[in-house]
Amino acid sequence: MDAEAAAAAGPTIQDQARAYFKSMEDGDESALALWQRFRTLSIEKYKQIYARLGVHFDVYSGESQVGEGMSRAIQMLTDTGLLIEDKGAKLVDLTEHKLDKALVQKSDGTTLYLTRDIGAAIERYEKYNFDKIIYVVSSQQDHHLKQLFKTVELLGLPYADRFEHINYGLVNGMSTRKGTVVFLDDMLHESKEKMHDVMRANEAKYNDVANPEHIADVLGMSAIVIQDMAARRIKNYTFDWGRILNFEGDTGPYLQYAHARLCSLERKAHVKVNPDADVSLLTEEVTCDIINQISLYPDILAASIKSLEPCTVVQYILKLSHSISSAWETIKVRGEADDVAEARLLMYWSARTVIGNALTLLGLEPVEAM
C-alpha cells in the first residue's frame, strides 16, 4: 500500500507523521539524525543530476534549515499585533487583503511553511543582504506566497519590496503522491538512449561524429529542456515522448540539428567567414528576412529578461531556424562566386552564432555535428 492510500485508509499514518514532525521540531536527536541522513542522500543525488545539466548551486538550503528565525518570526508577529489565537492555533488575519487567514502555528505548537518562510526570509536577508529574493515555485503556491509577501510587508520589514515570485505550470499526468511521476534522472537516461538510437540509424553520419555518447546525451537534454521552455511558463502541458524526441518541428533536437547543419556549412565552404563581406549582395527576400530576424536578437533578450519568460528566446530561435531551413536549397554558398559566397556565409555564420548563444543561454551545449 502506498503512502497516499494508507493515509486515505485512516488517520493513523497522518497522526504518526504529525507526531514525528513535532518530535523533530522539539529537537529529538534520533528523528533529526534520520531526517539529516535522507536529506544528505537526496542532495547528493540532486548534485549528480544538476551536474549533468550543467547547473551548480552555491548553497543547498531550505525552510527546514531555519533556526531561531522561526521563533523570532512568531515574536515579531506578536509584537506587531498581527498574531491572533483561535482554539490554541495562531493565525494572521489577511482577509481584508483578500488572502484569508494564514495559519502560522498549530495548536500542538508545530510550525507551518509560512512561519518557516518568514523566518527564512529574515535569516537570508541578515546573511546575504540581498537586493532581490526570487521564489521559483509552481503556481500551486501562488496563494501561499502572496500571504508570505503580504505578511512580510505588514511586519514593516525594510526589504519587503524585494520579494518576487516566478511561478510555473505543471506537467499533466504526473503526481508524486499518486506514484505517476516520471523522475528527471529516468527522463534524461531514456531521452539519451532514444537519441542514440536515432543517430545509429544513419551509420555513415554516426561514424563521423566524435563522442556520439556525449552528443546523444546533449540531444536528450535539449529535447527535455526545449519541451519545458517552449510555452509560457505558467501553462500546464502533457508530457509526450513522441513529441519531445522528434527531430522535426519545434523540438530541442531540431534546434540542435539546425545549429550543427550551419556548422557543417561553414566547415565545407570554399571561402572563409569575412566580416567585411559585401552584404549588399544579399538582395533575396528570404535573406532580408533572415538578416532582419538576426538583428532582433538583442530586443528578444531584453523582452525575455523583462517578462522572465524563456519561451521568448525559444520561439525566436525556432522561427530563425525555420527561416534558415527555407533558404537552404536556394541560397547556396558552395558553387557561387566568392563575393556572393562570402556574403551568404556571413549571414549563415551570424545565424549560427545567434542560435548557439541562445542555446547556451538556455543552459544547453550547442552541438557542431550529429
Side-chain angles (χ1 to χ4, degrees):
M1 182 181 291
D2 62 29
E4 185 182 37
T12 305
I13 294 291
Q14 293 181 357
D15 291 342
Q16 290 176 351
R18 281 191 287 266
Y20 196 89
F21 184 75
K22 180 69 164 61
S23 69
M24 288 172 60
E25 287 211 322
D26 291 341
D28 182 277
E29 291 186 4
S30 63
L32 288 172
L34 183 60
W35 163 78
Q36 184 61 54
R37 180 189 175 198
F38 287 138
R39 181 179 186 275
T40 300
L41 290 171
S42 297
I43 289 176
E44 287 305 312
K45 187 64 176 178
Y46 295 155
K47 287 181 178 179
Q48 293 174 19
I49 298 172
Y50 285 135
R52 188 172 176 182
L53 292 167
V55 175
H56 168 76
F57 290 102
D58 296 317
V59 177
Y60 282 82
S61 181
E63 46 83 26
S64 61
Q65 303 296 105
V66 180
E68 64 174 15
M70 283 190 293
S71 57
R72 289 170 61 191
I74 293 292
Q75 189 60 53
M76 291 172 69
L77 290 167
T78 302
D79 293 344
T80 53
L82 292 172
L83 207 62
I84 59 174
E85 287 202 22
D86 184 6
K87 300 178 182 178
K90 296 181 179 180
L91 309 94
V92 176
D93 189 356
L94 300 174
T95 51
E96 68 175 285
H97 305 285
K98 299 181 180 180
L99 292 172
D100 308 317
K101 292 180 179 179
L103 185 63
V104 295
Q105 190 175 76
K106 294 181 181 179
S107 57
D108 63 2
T110 55
T111 59
L112 289 96
Y113 281 120
L114 183 61
T115 330
R116 297 190 291 275
D117 280 339
I118 297 170
I122 295 169
E123 292 183 0
R124 286 167 181 165
Y125 181 75
E126 292 174 349
K127 183 174 182 178
Y128 299 111
N129 189 27
F130 53 76
D131 294 311
K132 177 171 283 191
I133 181 166
I134 299 172
Y135 294 75
V136 184
V137 187
S138 80
S139 56
Q140 287 182 312
Q141 301 300 323
D142 284 357
H143 187 70
H144 166 76
L145 287 164
K146 286 178 182 178
Q147 289 183 326
L148 170 63
F149 296 171
K150 178 55 67 174
T151 302
V152 169
E153 178 189 328
L154 293 175
L155 282 171
L157 298 180
Y159 44 89
D161 60 346
R162 304 181 192 182
F163 289 69
E164 183 172 2
H165 176 204
I166 297 179
N167 59 6
Y168 55 87
L170 305 177
V171 182
N172 294 328
M174 289 194 189
S175 170
T176 52
R177 292 184 177 182
K178 294 180 180 179
T180 57
V181 70
V182 179
F183 291 103
L184 180 58
D185 198 31
D186 296 331
M187 290 168 61
L188 290 171
H189 174 75
E190 181 72 13
S191 58
K192 173 187 175 181
E193 291 305 309
K194 287 185 179 293
M195 288 294 104
H196 209 170
D197 289 342
V198 172
M199 290 170 62
R200 278 191 288 249
N202 190 328
E203 187 175 351
K205 284 188 176 181
Y206 183 79
N207 292 334
D208 290 337
V209 175
N211 198 354
E213 283 270 353
H214 174 68
I215 297 300
D217 196 30
V218 173
L219 291 178
M221 285 187 279
S222 301
I224 292 169
V225 170
I226 295 301
Q227 157 81 1
D228 201 53
M229 294 185 176
R232 292 181 64 240
R233 53 183 162 78
I234 195 61
K235 291 186 67 175
N236 299 340
Y237 68 88
T238 300
F239 185 79
D240 181 0
W241 274 120
R243 180 171 178 271
I244 290 174
L245 302 178
N246 195 341
F247 270 74
E248 304 295 331
D250 297 345
T251 64
Y254 172 77
L255 287 173
Q256 290 286 13
Y257 176 69
H259 182 268
R261 200 179 187 190
L262 288 166
C263 290
S264 176
L265 171 70
E266 189 177 331
R267 287 193 299 267
K268 296 176 180 178
H270 64 284
V271 294
K272 299 297 182 182
V273 175
N274 179 9
D276 296 320
D278 184 3
V279 293
S280 68
L281 297 172
L282 301 173
T283 57
E284 301 84 358
E285 183 178 350
V286 66
T287 58
C288 292
D289 180 53
I290 290 171
I291 292 168
N292 181 58
Q293 287 186 51
I294 292 171
S295 72
L296 293 175
Y297 186 53
D299 294 334
I300 292 296
L301 292 187
S304 184
I305 292 170
K306 184 177 181 179
S307 65
L308 300 172
E309 290 283 4
C311 69
T312 305
V313 175
V314 172
Q315 292 302 323
Y316 165 74
I317 55 174
L318 282 169
K319 183 178 179 181
L320 178 57
S321 297
H322 287 311
S323 295
I324 293 294
S325 180
S326 67
W328 207 254
E329 294 301 323
T330 56
I331 311 300
K332 297 181 181 295
V333 173
R334 294 178 70 178
E336 299 292 334
D338 286 359
D339 56 350
V340 174
E342 284 186 351
R344 291 179 176 181
L345 183 61
L346 180 60
M347 178 192 71
Y348 283 128
W349 174 86
S350 300
R352 192 264 296 173
T353 301
V354 166
I355 293 170
N357 287 344
L359 288 171
T360 302
L361 187 64
L362 294 168
L364 297 170
E365 174 189 341
V367 301
E368 297 185 3
M370 55 185 280

